């Protein structure tokens, strides 16, 4: 599948090929998220305003 999105890997992808994390892309007023190991699979899409609270909630829950 070819896409015009500008996918960016997470800074936590690690060294080497960096295929152990997620990628995000801006799509107008949404943020798309996909698994870097399976880029052709389904993506999650969030309204721009909901993405930061989503990431914040993930960080909070991972600290417990």
């Amino acid at each position: 599948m070819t896409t015009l999105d500008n996918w960016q890997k997470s800074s936590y992808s690690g060294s080497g090929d960096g295929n152990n994390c997620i990628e995000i892309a801006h799509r107008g007023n949404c943020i798309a998220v996909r698994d870097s190991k399976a880029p052709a699979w389904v993506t999650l899409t969030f309204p721009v305003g909901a993405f930061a609270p989503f990431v914040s909630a993930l960080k909070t829950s991972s600290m417990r």
Side-chain angles (χ1 to χ4, degrees), residues 4-17:
L4 299 176
D5 293 328
N6 184 20
W7 290 99
Q8 298 174 329
K9 288 191 181 191
S10 167
S11 60
Y12 293 98
S13 291
S15 60
D17 61 9

Side-chain angles (χ1 to χ4, degrees), residues 1-61:
M1 171 193 290
T2 303
T3 178
L4 299 176
D5 293 328
N6 184 20
W7 290 99
Q8 298 174 329
K9 288 191 181 191
S10 167
S11 60
Y12 293 98
S13 291
S15 60
D17 61 9
N19 283 335
N20 295 321
C21 214
I22 63 165
E23 297 173 320
I24 65 167
H26 294 269
R27 292 182 173 169
N29 61 352
C30 294
I31 303 287
V33 180
R34 71 180 181 185
D35 184 341
S36 63
K37 295 180 302 298
W41 290 5
V42 71
T43 62
L44 299 175
T45 305
F46 298 88
V48 170
F51 187 70
F54 171 72
V55 172
S56 180
L58 289 176
K59 288 178 182 179
T60 301
S61 67

